[in-house]
Amino acid sequence: MELYLDSANLNEIREVAALGIISGVTTNPSLIAKEDPTVDVKERIKEIHTLVGGHTSVEVVSTDTAGMLKEAEEILKWLPNATIKIPMIPTGLAAVKELTRQNIPTNVTLSFSATQALAANNAGATYVSVFVGRLDDIGYDGMSVVRDVRAIWDMQGLPSLILAASIRHPIHILEAAKAGADISTCPYKPLMQSLKNPLTDAGLKAFLADYEKWKKEVEKVG
Ligand code: E4P
């Protein structure tokens, strides 16, 4: 399972990109709205793409098909290999169909059920983002949607890549991998938490202390 960073924050992206564990970044209007309002959004996203290199999802803010297509055309002028992120609404599906006809990659966002994911796949979506955490928030089992989508996809050989989104903690990352998601897009905090284990830190501390002790013994002898 590939990992993307779900962020528009340059410091986070710079730090995580340097680790070599992410192959893309997803942004959304809310993530962009958290950043400095004086920053030019296009320049910010271009910088993000330069830092990470791979997948960059850029979301449209129109809700009508013509507006989404116009925005996609604009986005592709300044970021030719952007993936256009389109909301899972009927007018969005029509936009996905047209963008697919033009061979433009799309990421259908705000999918909360397997039937929505199926419609997105049928419209031609390259990626379908299933929002796990937001379903958990309202008392549903968000990951069960990822599991259903994977099962349907495998049974029927469907092509859209399954992207587990709205990740809240490291267990979501683990469960998304076990559910067979192709990608998990994670905010900075759960991604960094998923790298940590107290036994790793304690083990390293002991290794280094033992080595120092041994070095002193060697110096004494030699
Ligand atoms: C996906 O691409 C979205 O940006 C995303 O994961 C949003 O999740 P959240 O706002 O529920 O954290």
Side-chain angles (χ1 to χ4, degrees):
M1 181 178 77
E2 284 183 53
L3 295 170
Y4 292 172
L5 188 65
D6 200 21
S7 174
N9 183 285
L10 271 189
N11 293 332
E12 293 177 357
I13 294 167
R14 199 171 285 122
E15 184 184 337
V16 179
L19 308 181
I21 59 172
I22 54 163
S23 44
V25 173
T26 50
T27 58
N28 67 40
S30 302
L31 290 172
I32 287 169
K34 280 189 197 162
E35 300 302 311
D36 181 350
T38 63
V39 165
D40 180 317
V41 174
K42 290 179 199 167
E43 289 312 313
R44 166 59 55 95
I45 295 174
K46 273 161 65 177
E47 218 172 327
I48 290 172
H49 184 66
T50 309
L51 277 172
V52 179
H55 174 107
T56 308
S57 274
V58 186
E59 189 158 343
V60 297
V61 287
S62 303
T63 52
D64 62 301
T65 307
M68 292 184 206
L69 293 175
K70 196 161 172 280
E71 272 189 70
E73 200 183 320
E74 269 306 304
I75 292 166
L76 293 164
K77 277 187 198 149
W78 52 267
L79 193 67
N81 40 12
T83 293
I84 309 299
K85 206 169 172 193
I86 305 272
M88 178 51 232
I89 51 177
T91 49
L93 293 173
V96 169
K97 184 179 174 213
E98 174 54 22
L99 293 171
T100 304
R101 196 190 62 76
Q102 297 175 31
N103 274 324
I104 294 164
T106 53
N107 174 2
V108 172
T109 188
L110 292 166
S111 300
F112 293 93
S113 70
T115 49
Q116 287 184 319
L118 185 62
N121 172 84
N122 291 358
T126 320
Y127 304 84
V128 182
S129 288
V130 177
F131 276 45
V132 174
R134 292 192 193 191
L135 280 165
D136 288 0
D137 290 346
I138 59 158
Y140 287 82
D141 175 7
M143 203 56 75
S144 71
V145 178
V146 178
R147 281 192 288 271
D148 282 353
V149 173
R150 178 79 273 160
I152 296 166
W153 263 224
D154 289 349
M155 192 191 305
Q156 303 193 359
L158 305 184
S160 296
L161 293 168
I162 304 166
L163 203 164
S166 186
I167 295 294
R168 301 267 194 267
H169 45 69
I171 300 293
H172 272 157
I173 303 175
L174 170 69
E175 292 297 328
K178 283 164 67 182
D182 296 294
I183 305 127
S184 181
T185 188
C186 318
Y188 173 85
K189 197 173 160 212
L191 187 60
M192 293 309 278
Q193 280 170 336
S194 76
L195 309 182
K196 284 249 158 212
N197 190 297
L199 291 177
T200 307
D201 298 338
L204 180 61
K205 203 172 158 200
F207 281 161
L208 298 181
D210 289 344
Y211 183 74
E212 280 308 313
K213 221 166 101 190
W214 174 78
K215 237 172 63 183
K216 282 196 185 108
E217 292 298 323
V218 171
E219 277 163 17
K220 253 195 245 160
V221 188

